[in-house]
Structures are given as structure tokens and as C-alpha cells.
Amino acid sequence: MTSARVALIGAAGHGATHLRRLSDWHAAGRVTLAGVCDLNPVETPPGVPLFTDHHALLRSAEPEVVVICTPPHTHLPIAVDAARAGCDLLLEKPPVLSLAEHASLIAVLDETARACQVGFQALGSPALHLLSDAIAAGQLGTVTRVAACGAWWRPDAYFTRVPWAGRRALDGRPVLDGAVANPFAHALMDCLVLAGFSGGADLEVERYRVGGIEVDDTTCLRLAGDPEIVLAVTLRSPEFIAGDITVSGTAGTAVLEYPTDRLALPGHAEPTTVPGRVDLLDNLLAHRADPAGVPLLCPIEATGPFTAVIDALWSAPPPTTIEASQLTPRADGTAIAGISETVRRATSTGSLFAELGVAWAVPAWRGHVPTTASISQLRPRTIGTRIPKPGAISP
Ligand SMILES: NC(=O)c1ccc[n+]([C@@H]2O[C@H](COP(=O)([O-])OP(=O)(O)OC[C@H]3O[C@@H](n4cnc5c(N)ncnc54)[C@H](O)[C@@H]3O)[C@@H](O)[C@H]2O)c1
């Protein structure tokens, strides 16, 4: 069997990680790296062509699988072009900007019978699956809350590294950045999966920023329901919390550190690492080889609830700017005093920052996350017959 022809679009930034892995797999004969595309020069393995226009890559390199790691606001048009060119996709998170874009992409994938895996790599976590199984087996009793907290440090340079960083719109067009939509997207996605969330819930959200950016760097939100979902995250904390997801039930509590796959089930004093994370590209390639036997770990349909939350957040007012008196200047950026303790308290109590009496907090904005047909009809996508490449891919 010949190895799949895989191409990468967006090869710097996080794409550099994809490029390294694809280059290794190419050298090992596991895939054929058919081509790489970026607006800026990047180094490719000998013989692998570099393009600056994804249409040219799709036309000339004839990939069967495309990894898309460009900024979020460019995902939809590139994904549509790649699917229409007959490619299966590994599309980075957040997959699209809105439910309308989600529906458009699914329509094109249906029309072209292509598979689309979304880059929520934490869904390849065996610890997540173990926890889901424990919930399903009733080990935690009735689950009442799924709560995630995370506290990271991002220097000011992080928000100016590329034109779309820290922006809500660029050149008059919506882009998507912010703590929940981007770095902590995995925390939100894991919570939605563990809670079995399918939309149709009231949302309360508080979003904050330190001056100089348009989007939230610090956020807490609560989704009503059984169980309720609470998320409290920040990019302005000198103290580090990798990302703890606490699942509370009537019969016990479990904690998953989602970036590291460390899990403590009820009765475990200490978390232990669950080995065996499945790579999403590996899974996509295995799915292509055996569509019925190997389901995708994160098909685009499974991201409908995530996109529904993001979609609802577009209606929220801009994040509140935290006053300088509440901040701690550091050499490379600005920290929010005591924020790691605050996000922990929010998730352990299920309270939003204002309800905790945090000095800079303002009452939550209230919205609603809809149930949509695409969310409720999560269905496994199978690979259809490979369609001929249309000749009309515009240059
Ligand atoms: N899965 C993860 O853990 C993870 C981590 C970081 C970033 N991401 C996601 O990866 C994507 C890229 O993020 P980033 O931080 O690397 O962004 P970035 O802006 O640093 O890099 C994007 C790259 O895409 C290139 N690019 C932009 N438009 C292009 C186009 N039309 N054609 C070809 N190349 C184009 C840029 O030149 C740049 O090299 C985002 O969706 C982001 O959320 C995922």
C-alpha cells in the first residue's frame, strides 16, 4: 500500500510542529509529504515543494490529506477548497468562527464525501476516555458539575506576535482569538464532551482583559444544565495551573489534568498519568484505511456544541478592562494579582468571579447557546468514493 499524500497549509507558528512531525513521517516513509504552503518562507525536506498559495498547492501537489494550521478566520475558505479538491482534512481548532460557517463546512463535506478531523488533540487522550467510561458506568453517581480551571502566563509579546493575535476583527473582518476560543479551547471542548453537552442552555459569562488587546485574556463562564459546566481561565497568571477538569457527582469526584493526561478517579488520592495518547493525524489516516472500523476521534460534527458556545459569545459585550490598580507589572507583561487562586475558587464553588466578590469583577452577561440541527445530529462521517478533482479550483 502506498503512503498517503499529505500536505500542510500554514507551516510556521503551531504549524511548525505539524511540519516537524510530517517531515519525520515523510523520512520514515509513513506518509508522503506532498507539499507545504505558507505565506512566508519555511524550510521543507529535500524535494518537497513549497507554495505561497493554497490553490496552487492543491492543484500541483495533489494531496489526499491536508493539515490546515492557518489563523482561525482563514479556516473555512481553505477547508472548503481542500475538500472540493478531494482531500480529507485535519483542521486546527477552533475549526470555524460561527454556527453558520459550521453548517457551510458540513454541507461541503457531505457534498464531497470528505472526512474532517478537528485538532482538539485532547480528544485523543486515554485519560479522557477512562473518565468518560467511569461517568457512564455510574462511578461518580449523578454528575452535577463539570468545571475546568487553568492559569497560564502569556507575555505581552504573545498578543502582538501575529496581526490576528488579541484581535476581534482585522481589516473589518471578524477574526477569532481570546482565552476561551484559542488557548483554552481544549478545556472547553473537554468539558462539553464530559458533560454530554448538546446545546440549548443558558450561558453566563464574564470576560476581562488587561489593556492593549481587544479580546479576553481572563474569563469565567457557566452553562446551565445537568450537569452545569463552569470554566475559569486566565493567561495573566505568574502561578501555573496546567488545566484541571473536576467532575463532581453525587457518589464521587474525579480530576483530569487535561494537557498531561493525569487522572484521579474517585478513591484515588493522587492522579496518575494514563499513557497512550492517540495522535489525531494517525487516527485520520487509520480512519481513511478502515472507515467503518476506526471512527474519527474528533469529527467536525462533534465540535458543533463548541462552536455554538463561541457563536453565542459573539453577542457578548467587549471584555471589561481591568483597572491598573488591580494589576502587577512584570518585566514582560502584566499579571492579575491573585488570579490563580480566583480561578480555582470559581471552579471549586461553581461561582463566577463577581459572585465571589472579586474587586474588579462585574456582573455576568447572559446569553443562550442554541440547539441546532447540526449539533443534535452528531453522526459518524465515513469516507465516500474518491471524487475526481474538479478542474475549476480558482487560482
Ligand atoms: N492544537 C493546538 O494545541 C494548537 C496550538 C496553537 C495553535 N493552534 C491553532 O493553529 C492555528 C494557527 O495558529 P498559530 O498560532 O500557529 O498562527 P500563526 O499566525 O502564528 O501561524 C499561522 C501560519 O499560517 C500562515 N498563513 C496564514 N494565512 C495563510 C494562507 N492563506 N495560506 C497559507 N498560509 C497561511 C502564516 O503565514 C503563518 O505562518 C490556529 O487555528 C490556532 O488556534 C492549535
Side-chain angles (χ1 to χ4, degrees):
M1 196 176 75
T2 55
S3 57
R5 293 178 62 76
V6 182
L8 173 64
I9 303 178
H14 183 59
T17 312
H18 286 294
L19 181 56
R20 266 194 305 278
R21 186 188 40 170
L22 284 169
S23 301
D24 290 348
W25 289 13
H26 177 74
R30 217 165 139 200
V31 298
T32 300
L33 183 53
V36 174
C37 175
D38 200 287
L39 302 179
N40 299 311
V42 291
E43 202 177 320
T44 60
V48 174
L50 178 65
F51 300 83
T52 51
D53 173 33
H54 74 269
H55 302 97
L57 172 135
L58 294 171
R59 211 172 30 231
S60 308
E62 301 199 326
E64 296 164 297
V65 175
V66 171
V67 179
I68 300 172
C69 191
T70 55
H73 58 286
T74 66
H75 286 180
L76 180 66
I78 295 176
V80 164
D81 289 341
R84 291 228 161 99
C87 303
D88 296 316
L89 314 177
L90 172 56
L91 176 60
E92 263 306 342
K93 60 83 203 158
V96 287
L97 303 188
S98 66
L99 281 174
E101 288 198 357
H102 179 81
S104 302
L105 180 53
I106 288 198
V108 172
L109 292 165
D110 278 345
E111 172 197 317
T112 54
R114 294 297 95 198
C116 177
Q117 174 101 292
V118 176
F120 282 112
Q121 67 264 20
L123 266 58
S125 158
L128 181 79
H129 292 280
L130 214 59
L131 178 50
S132 295
D133 290 349
I135 293 170
Q139 237 177 298
L140 284 75
T142 302
V143 174
T144 52
R145 182 186 301 142
V146 177
C149 66
W152 297 357
W153 174 250
R154 289 290 179 267
D156 286 349
Y158 171 82
F159 297 101
T160 52
R161 72 192 195 286
V162 287
W164 63 277
R167 303 299 297 272
R168 188 178 156 88
L170 189 62
D171 302 328
R173 291 183 48 225
V175 297
L176 190 59
D177 198 16
V180 173
N182 209 351
F184 286 108
H186 302 285
L188 175 61
M189 184 66 188
D190 274 17
C191 286
L192 298 173
V193 168
L194 288 167
F197 183 81
S198 58
D202 288 334
L203 165 70
E204 295 163 279
V205 63
E206 296 176 25
R207 300 194 300 173
Y208 302 95
R209 59 182 158 170
V210 165
I213 58 172
E214 293 175 356
V215 299
D216 53 314
D217 51 46
T218 301
T219 300
C220 62
L221 67 79
R222 182 166 58 211
L223 284 160
D226 292 322
E228 71 174 6
I229 296 172
V230 176
L231 187 82
V233 293
T234 183
L235 300 171
R236 299 289 189 179
S237 175
E239 298 89 33
F240 179 58
I241 302 171
D244 284 355
I245 300 179
T246 305
V247 182
S248 310
T250 51
T253 296
V255 181
L256 168 66
E257 192 179 77
Y258 73 89
T260 59
D261 295 342
R262 282 159 55 78
L263 174 65
L265 287 172
H268 293 192
E270 290 296 324
T272 48
T273 304
V274 184
R277 176 95 59 129
V278 179
D279 178 274
L280 294 182
L281 181 58
D282 239 348
N283 171 245
L284 172 60
L285 296 174
H287 174 72
R288 284 170 49 84
D290 180 9
V294 183
L296 288 177
L297 284 165
C298 189
I300 182 76
E301 291 85 353
T303 66
F306 171 88
T307 302
V309 175
I310 297 299
D311 192 287
L313 289 174
W314 282 109
S315 305
T320 302
T321 302
I322 300 180
E323 277 182 31
S325 61
Q326 306 289 339
L327 304 171
T328 309
R330 288 161 56 96
D332 58 347
T334 307
I336 302 173
I339 189 64
S340 63
E341 177 55 24
T342 302
V343 297
R344 273 217 191 282
R345 273 208 298 148
T347 50
S348 62
T349 60
S351 306
L352 301 181
F353 299 158
E355 293 165 344
L356 291 172
V358 172
W360 40 262
V362 296
W365 174 82
R366 288 161 200 272
H368 188 75
V369 179
T371 306
T372 71
S374 56
I375 293 175
S376 56
Q377 290 171 13
L378 300 185
R379 61 203 184 285
R381 175 176 305 286
T382 51
I383 309 270
T385 316
R386 195 168 165 76
I387 55 159
K389 287 178 191 290
I393 301 169
S394 53

